[in-house]
Structures are given as structure tokens and as C-alpha cells.
């Protein structure tokens, strides 16, 4: 491809609206342009990279035995009403009407459509297991579309759905997708972790993993072991409890101290006022679980893990109590709650129980209590693991590892759905005993366009993009320093033709631009190998530089071509 003809509008300056490194690079290197918030056009370079990502995904899906289909973006609202998601999906679901005033949605995902399809097309266990996938445009009216392709409102997703006759078989389908995902992200050159995730409100039985690209801009926090492969989302992260409740100090009862703490409500304020560490305090939070108040106590330097508490209580609804409720149950404004004198159920974290004594709220405005002794004052509480993991906690899986924290971008998600959709949409098959039963389903997503951004968050330097070879828009950038110099141009054309014949994708910078401009653009668009044809062209000598290395090397024509073919 001749660069003079290519629609590749590079920008010197970072556009002010872009914050994420990947977004800035994509705009500057002329990969994408925005049409509306969260809605983008892929220019030729961006489209090429996206196609390469799609191709990797497609190859690995096919390899895993999944079959490609293509489902419509426009979906009748009735299907969504049947699954019960028409109401619960909320404003992210884009809704529209046709000329007959029938309601439709623009699909944010395709569980409904695929389940309806399989309901009418598959009737026997003999056809199972079956996994179908597509690479297709999704629509989600995100509240905060941002960071370019990382959170779009129209974006490209690979979504796959498995149908099995029982849970063992589902597990095999799930693992086959899980392994395919590992191959896909490895081939894309991504630094990622597969993390155990929380099943959350999507429902379903069994496991779910998210694939997280490690990057500072990521919205998720991941706890990962520094010794083994254990990794989990913060809300799901387990850790080995070092001090169990039974190591609790058999303390001698001391006197409670009444401490005047005017308007001092937060742990940080207490730390400052008392000049001691946050771990000397007990933090008491009032929640409501299915409408009833409960108190949760964690050490001052810890955070309550609401999912763990919610699961232990078996509550459907669990949230922080409002100020009115807190005041009613503690007799004090929010900020002064403590365990002593409370008549509601109390849950205390292991780490609190391991304290000899600490400072807690007094359930009285502007007062705290010192010398609160768990061994004495927290006799009738429910003890358990109610906190988030923190850096340095012991790995729950291996002996020696410690947890470290990272930020991550969710690029993929595998999920055991069970019968949630087959039940709702009445999708059944005849099993081996001739009995009708619902399909056991799994769903598996990869944000293909988000993946492009995630790769760029990891593969760039101060001069621009550094593409992994597997997804680079072109493999070789041939740059004659002076396009007006016929000798240089002839040699450049010759090299480009030779490489193209060998199946290598070449971009030829035939523009009549200053060398500085050409090199800056070349670095910015990040093609893995650059061949510069300059003043030694007449002797058949060119300069080669790998984008990910600092040094260039001079080689003769044939050696240069051999090098390019090899790399
Ligand atoms: P998030 O928590 O980031 O909103 P999600 O849980 O809504 O993601 P899924 O419904 O599991 O995402 O969708 C499957 C995959 O699609 C995600 O793993 C992610 O890679 C991608 N994805 C989801 N929402 C977007 C979006 N708005 N823009 C780009 N990619 C997205
Ligand atoms: Mg979402």
C-alpha cells in the first residue's frame, strides 16, 4: 500500500478529549474517528488491526469446535420480555419502534436470540454438545462511554453460547472456551490474568472467570498471587486467615475509656487525632439485609466486603443503611457506631477478633470508646471473613504466595449460565431417556474492539505504538528518505514488491515529506520493522530498524530482504 493514498490522518498533538493512552494513540495514529460519544469509525489502519484480532478469535473458536453464525442486531422486544430482561436491563438497552409500532431493541448481547433459535432447531441430545459463536456489533447505551474503544456504545464483540445436556458436559464446554481464550490473548501479545469473578446478578450456577488485561487505566481491581496462578476480582478475592478467632486474646477485662471525639467520624480523622495506626480502630458499619439492620465490624485499615457478608447472610438485598436507620439503631449520627450496646445482629471480622483491644464508636454523638476488648465485649457476635483482601495477605491456594494488587481491563468473560435462559424461554430437548429437559447453557464474550485498546495500553512507548507482530496493520514499513530520488524510490519499490510476493504486508511511504515527518509518523503507527532507503541506495545498502529496539542496522539488499522474511 502506498502511504500517499492511504487514509491515515496522523495528528501531532494529543486531542484534548482523549484521556486514555490507547485512545490518544488511536486518534493520533489515524486508526479511528469519533462519530458520536462512544461511537467510532475505523479508518483503514484500525480496520486492518480489528480484522487481525477477529481472525485470531475466529481461528481459536473454530479450533475449539465452535460454529460461526451471525445474528441480527435488531431484536424483537417480545424475546426480551419473555426472558424478563426487558425491564431489568434498564437504560443501557437501546429500544426502538418499527413503522407498525412494534418494539425492538438493538442487541447488547444475544442470549435471547440464540436460545430462541436453538429452541426451534435442536431437539435431541444427539445434537449436543453444541457451541455457536459470532463476531458482531453490540449496542449498549453506557452511562459513561469513555476511553475510546474501551467503553463504547457501539462495539464489536465475539459472543459464544454453549448448549449441553448436563453440568459435566457444560464444564467441558466451559473449559474448552477458557483454554481458547488463553490462546487468543496470548497470540495478541496481551499481558493478562484469568481471574475468578463474582457471579453477581447475572445469575447462573457454577463458575465464572474474567480475563483481565493488566493496565493502570483498568476499572477493575485484581488480587493476584505473586507465587502461583491464583487471581480474583477484589470483591471475590479470598485469602488465608492467619489469625483465627480462637487465637483471640484471653484478655483480662479492663476499663472502657470514654473518649471525646467532637465531629471526628472517619478513620483518617481518628488516626490523625490519636496519632496511632488505623489498625488500632474497629470500624462499625450499619447495613440493612432484606430490610433488617445489621452491624458489620472490621479493623480500621480494612474494608467491608459486602458480597461476602451478603452471601453469609443469604440476603437478597444488602446495602448500607441510610442515616435515619443508623441513628435509630445506634442512637447517634453516622460516624459514631460501635458494638457496645447495640441490639441488632453483629458480624465481626476475624481480624477484629484477633485484636487485644481497640477504639470503637460509642453510639453517642462525639464520643468513642477506648479499650474495647473483643474477648470481653464481642462475646455474642458472628465471626467470619467479612473484609476485602489487602496487599500482602496470604494466598488462599498456595503455601508461600502473597497477594499483590493490579488494575485490569476486562477483555473477556466466560460464564456458566445453567438453565436461566432455557427455562425462561422454554427451550428444551429430549434427553437419552426420552425425557424433555432444558438446555444447560454457558456464554462467553470477548470485547474485540476493547481488546484493541487493551493491547495498545500495553504496547506503546513515548513515540507511539509498538504493535505485536500478530496484529500489526502491516509487518514492514518501507521508507525512502526522499521520494523524489528515483534511485531510492526504485529500490523501495523493488523491496516492497519482493516482500509482498512472499506474502508480507508492506506499507510504502512514498510521500514527498521531510524525513523528520516520515520517521515521526513511522514511529507513531508502530509497524514492527522499518526499512529505510537513504543515501546508500545506489550501493544497494538500506537501514533496518525493529520498532521495539533502539538500534538500527545497515544491511545489503538481499540480507535485508532475508531479515524481513525471517522476522
Ligand atoms: P463491563 O463490566 O466492562 O461493563 P460487562 O460485564 O458489561 O463489562 P459482558 O456483558 O460480560 O461485559 O460483555 C462481554 C465482553 O464485552 C466484556 O468482557 C468486554 O470485553 C466487552 N464489553 C462490554 N461492554 C463493553 C463496552 N461498552 N465497550 C466495549 N467492550 C465492551
Ligand atoms: Mg457493562
Amino acid at each position: 500500500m502506498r502511504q500517499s493514498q492511504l487514509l491515515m490522518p496522523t495528528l501531532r498533538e494529543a486531542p484534548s478529549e482523549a484521556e486514555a493512552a490507547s485512545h490518544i494513540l488511536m486518534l493520533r495514529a489515524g486508526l479511528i474517528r469519533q462519530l458520536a460519544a462512544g461511537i467510532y469509525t475505523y479508518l483503514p489502519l484500525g480496520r486492518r488491526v480489528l480484522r487481525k484480532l477477529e481472525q485470531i478469535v475466529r481461528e481459536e473458536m473454530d479450533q475449539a469446535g465452535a460454529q460461526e453464525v451471525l445474528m441480527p442486531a435488531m431484536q424483537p422486544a417480545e424475546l426480551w420480555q419473555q426472558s424478563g430482561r426487558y425491564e431489568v436491563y434498564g437504560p443501557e438497552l437501546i429500544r426502538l419502534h418499527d413503522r407498525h409500532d412494534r418494539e425492538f431493541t438493538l442487541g447488547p448481547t444475544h442470549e435471547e436470540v440464540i436460545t430462541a433459535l436453538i429452541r426451534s432447531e435442536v431437539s435431541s441430545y444427539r445434537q449436543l454438545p453444541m457451541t455457536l459463536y459470532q463476531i458482531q456489533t453490540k449496542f449498549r447505551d453506557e452511562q459513561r462511554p469513555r476511553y475510546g474503544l474501551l467503553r463504547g456504545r457501539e462495539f464489536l464483540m465475539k459472543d459464544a453460547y454453549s448448549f449441553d445436556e448436563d453440568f459435566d458436559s457444560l464444564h467441558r464446554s466451559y473449559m474448552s472456551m477458557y483454554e481458547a481464550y488463553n490462546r487468543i490473548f496470548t497470540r495478541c501479545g496481551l499481558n493478562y490474568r484469568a481471574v475468578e469473578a463474582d457471579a453477581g446478578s447475572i445469575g447462573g450456577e457454577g463458575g465464572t472467570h474474567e480475563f483481565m488485561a493488566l493496565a493502570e487505566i483498568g476499572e477493575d481491581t485484581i488480587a493476584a498471587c505473586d507465587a502461583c496462578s491464583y487471581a480474583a476480582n477484589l470483591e471475590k478475592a479470598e485469602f488465608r486467615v492467619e489469625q483465627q478467632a480462637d487465637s483471640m486474646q484471653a484478655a483480662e477485662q479492663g476499663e472502657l475509656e470514654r473518649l471525646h471525639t467532637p465531629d471526628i467520624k472517619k478513620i483518617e480523622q481518628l488516626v490523625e487525632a490519636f496519632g496511632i495506626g488505623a489498625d488500632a480502630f474497629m470500624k462499625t458499619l450499619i447495613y440493612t439485609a432484606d430490610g433488617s439492620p445489621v452491624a458489620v465490624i472490621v479493623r480500621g485499615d480494612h474494608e467491608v466486603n459486602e458480597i461476602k457478608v451478603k452471601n453469609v447472610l443469604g440476603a437478597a438485598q444488602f446495602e448500607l443503611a441510610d442515616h435515619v436507620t443508623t441513628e435509630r439503631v445506634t442512637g447517634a449520627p453516622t460516624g459514631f457506631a460501635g458494638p457496645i450496646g447495640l441490639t441488632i445482629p453483629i458480624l465481626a471480622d476475624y481480624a477484629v477478633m484477633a485484636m487485644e483491644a481497640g477504639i470503637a464508636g460509642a453510639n453517642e454523638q462525639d464520643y468513642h470508646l477506648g479499650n474495647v476488648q473483643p474477648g470481653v465485649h464481642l462475646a455474642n457476635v458472628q465471626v467470619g471473613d467479612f473484609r476485602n483482601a489487602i496487599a500482602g495477605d496470604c494466598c488462599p491456594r498456595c503455601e508461600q504466595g502473597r497477594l499483590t494488587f493490579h488494575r485490569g481491563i476486562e477483555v473477556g468473560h466466560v460464564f456458566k449460565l445453567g438453565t436461566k435462559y432455557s427455562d425462561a424461554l422454554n427451550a428444551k430437548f429430549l434427553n437419552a431417556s426420552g425425557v424433555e429437559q432444558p438446555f444447560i447453557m454457558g456464554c462467553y464474550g470477548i470485547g474485540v474492539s476493547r481488546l484493541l485498546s487493551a493491547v495498545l495500553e500495553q504496547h506503546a512507548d513515548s513515540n507511539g505504538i509498538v504493535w505485536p507482530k500478530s496484529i500489526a496493520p502491516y509487518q514492514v514499513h518501507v521508507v525512502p528518505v526522499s521520494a523524489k530520488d528515483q534511485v531510492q524510490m526504485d529500490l523501495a519499490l523493488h523491496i516492497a514488491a519482493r516482500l509482498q510476493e512472499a506474502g508480507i504486508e508492506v506499507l510504502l511511504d512514498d510521500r514527498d515529506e521531510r524525513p523528520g515527518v516520515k520517521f515521526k509518523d513511522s514511529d507513531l503507527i508502530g509497524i514492527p520493522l522499518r526499512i529505510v532507503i537513504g543515501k546508500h541506495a545506489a550501493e544497494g545498502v538500506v537501514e533496518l530498524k525493529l520498532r521495539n529496539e533502539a538500534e538500527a542496522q545497515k544491511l545489503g539488499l538481499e540480507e535485508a530482504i532475508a531479515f524481513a522474511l525471517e522476522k
Side-chain angles (χ1 to χ4, degrees):
M1 179 73 205
R2 287 183 179 236
Q3 209 166 319
S4 59
Q5 305 302 305
L6 181 65
L7 179 61
M8 191 191 86
T10 55
L11 305 173
R12 287 282 149 262
E13 297 297 324
S16 60
E17 78 269 19
E19 298 169 68
S22 57
H23 189 194
I24 293 170
L25 285 169
M26 273 190 252
L27 291 171
R28 285 194 55 212
L31 267 60
I32 57 167
R33 284 296 179 264
Q34 179 176 298
L35 180 64
I39 303 178
Y40 292 89
T41 295
Y42 298 92
L43 299 178
L45 280 193
R47 182 67 190 120
R48 287 181 82 92
V49 179
L50 199 65
R51 284 181 77 111
K52 300 223 163 155
L53 290 169
E54 285 175 40
Q55 192 51 28
I56 290 174
V57 169
R58 199 168 265 128
E59 282 170 19
E60 295 300 342
M61 285 295 112
D62 292 346
Q63 173 72 25
Q67 308 173 46
E68 185 168 0
V69 294
L70 182 58
M71 290 179 270
M74 197 163 153
Q75 311 178 0
E78 291 96 80
L79 267 181
W80 285 76
Q81 279 150 356
Q82 280 175 38
S83 75
R85 282 209 287 189
Y86 198 60
E87 303 310 326
V88 295
Y89 213 93
E92 252 184 49
L93 187 64
I94 295 190
R95 299 153 207 256
L96 49 133
H97 291 89
D98 72 2
R99 64 171 72 205
H100 306 294
D101 221 23
R102 285 186 52 187
E103 281 186 86
F104 284 84
T105 69
L106 289 182
T109 174
H110 278 69
E111 283 82 5
E112 282 79 1
V113 177
I114 196 111
T115 309
L117 177 81
I118 295 301
R119 172 176 69 190
S120 43
E121 306 305 330
V122 176
S123 54
S124 161
Y125 73 95
R126 288 198 184 83
Q127 295 163 277
L128 304 180
M130 184 182 284
T131 298
L132 300 170
Y133 79 96
Q134 63 173 349
I135 298 176
Q136 192 257 6
T137 302
K138 298 282 184 275
F139 299 85
R140 294 184 184 181
D141 198 358
E142 298 275 356
Q143 187 171 18
R144 289 186 70 196
R146 58 180 181 156
Y147 300 152
L149 304 183
L150 281 177
R151 186 168 296 286
R153 293 198 296 166
E154 175 176 330
F155 59 96
L156 195 66
M157 195 200 286
K158 184 288 300 178
D159 45 330
Y161 306 89
S162 63
F163 296 84
D164 285 276
E165 54 182 314
D166 57 38
F167 279 90
D168 285 346
S169 177
L170 166 63
H171 187 68
R172 284 190 294 276
S173 300
Y174 180 91
M175 286 316 293
S176 142
M177 285 293 122
Y178 180 92
E179 280 152 19
Y181 276 35
N182 281 311
R183 294 195 298 270
I184 289 168
F185 297 127
T186 303
R187 284 180 65 182
C188 296
L190 201 68
N191 179 12
Y192 73 96
R193 298 289 283 253
V195 309
E196 294 177 11
D198 184 72
S201 58
I202 320 170
E205 295 142 75
T208 167
H209 286 85
E210 288 171 355
F211 288 79
M212 294 287 186
L214 303 187
E216 270 312 307
I217 195 92
E219 294 175 342
D220 296 279
T221 302
I222 307 159
C225 176
D226 59 10
C228 76
S229 68
Y230 176 75
N233 271 345
L234 177 60
E235 73 259 25
K236 179 80 195 294
E238 302 161 34
F239 48 89
R240 209 169 54 244
V241 177
E242 284 173 290
Q243 296 152 308
Q244 293 289 346
D246 45 56
S247 73
M248 194 164 77
Q249 311 291 329
E252 273 186 32
Q253 184 163 357
E255 286 285 302
L256 285 172
E257 299 163 39
R258 195 153 168 275
L259 306 167
H260 190 215
T261 50
D263 223 23
I264 298 182
K265 304 173 178 178
K266 298 213 166 85
I267 292 291
E268 308 88 76
Q269 297 170 314
L270 288 162
V271 164
E272 209 185 305
F274 287 90
I276 48 177
D279 58 357
F281 297 90
M282 299 173 187
K283 187 156 69 181
T284 307
L285 293 149
I286 310 297
Y287 286 88
T288 57
D290 294 333
S292 309
V294 298
V296 182
I297 310 179
V298 294
R299 214 169 64 189
D301 57 330
H302 291 155
E303 296 298 329
V304 174
N305 182 310
E306 298 182 1
I307 291 174
K308 289 179 184 171
V309 182
K310 183 176 179 209
N311 290 343
V312 165
L313 293 174
Q317 168 274 348
F318 183 75
E319 59 195 14
L320 265 181
D322 56 29
H323 294 305
V324 177
T325 310
T326 302
E327 190 146 359
R328 178 166 56 77
V329 301
T330 67
T334 303
F336 299 99
I340 297 176
L342 284 186
T343 54
I344 56 175
I346 298 177
L347 293 88
D349 185 68
Y350 288 126
V352 170
M353 300 311 285
M355 293 167 80
E356 194 173 336
I359 298 173
N363 295 324
E364 180 185 350
Q365 179 157 10
D366 293 343
Y367 283 94
H368 279 75
L369 292 177
N371 204 28
V372 175
Q373 297 168 288
V376 175
H377 301 109
L378 298 181
N380 293 316
V381 303
Q382 184 174 349
V383 179
D385 168 17
F386 302 127
R387 69 167 172 98
N388 281 340
I390 58 170
D393 275 338
C394 293
C395 173
R397 298 282 188 279
C398 74
E399 281 301 310
Q400 68 277 35
R402 296 273 170 174
L403 297 183
T404 55
F405 280 75
H406 309 269
R407 304 290 291 173
I409 300 167
E410 182 193 321
V411 287
H413 193 181
V414 293
F415 201 91
K416 290 182 185 174
L417 285 168
T419 59
K420 180 173 154 100
Y421 294 94
S422 43
D423 279 339
L425 295 168
N426 199 26
K428 293 184 177 145
F429 67 98
L430 282 183
N431 68 19
S433 337
V435 178
E436 266 203 332
Q437 69 163 78
F439 292 98
I440 314 288
M441 292 174 56
C443 67
Y444 316 92
I446 290 180
V448 182
S449 45
R450 179 181 284 187
L451 178 56
L452 204 175
S453 293
V455 170
L456 282 185
E457 287 292 333
Q458 296 179 352
H459 292 270
D461 63 18
S462 57
N463 294 322
I465 301 172
V466 185
W467 288 114
K469 196 177 163 224
S470 58
I471 62 167
Y474 294 92
Q475 279 106 48
V476 180
H477 199 190
V478 175
V479 184
V481 175
S482 165
K484 280 203 204 119
D485 181 323
Q486 203 52 47
V487 178
Q488 288 185 21
M489 258 321 263
D490 284 347
L491 188 57
L493 285 167
H494 173 77
I495 293 173
R498 293 268 303 273
L499 294 176
Q500 271 160 347
E501 272 162 34
I504 290 185
E505 296 160 301
V506 178
L507 181 63
L508 172 68
D509 190 354
D510 61 337
R511 296 174 305 163
D512 184 16
E513 284 283 1
R514 282 181 291 118
V517 170
K518 291 184 157 199
F519 292 137
K520 270 210 157 54
D521 274 347
S522 177
D523 281 341
L524 177 60
I525 65 173
I527 295 172
L529 175 64
R530 175 162 81 205
I531 304 182
V532 176
I533 295 123
K535 51 181 186 292
H536 298 293
E539 302 123 59
V541 172
V542 299
E543 195 184 86
L544 271 71
K545 183 177 171 302
L546 290 168
R547 180 64 181 84
N548 62 1
E549 284 179 12
E551 297 304 316
Q553 52 173 327
K554 286 202 167 56
L555 290 178
L557 173 64
E558 292 307 321
E559 288 168 299
I561 288 176
F563 183 92
L565 293 179
E566 215 175 277
K567 275 288 162 181

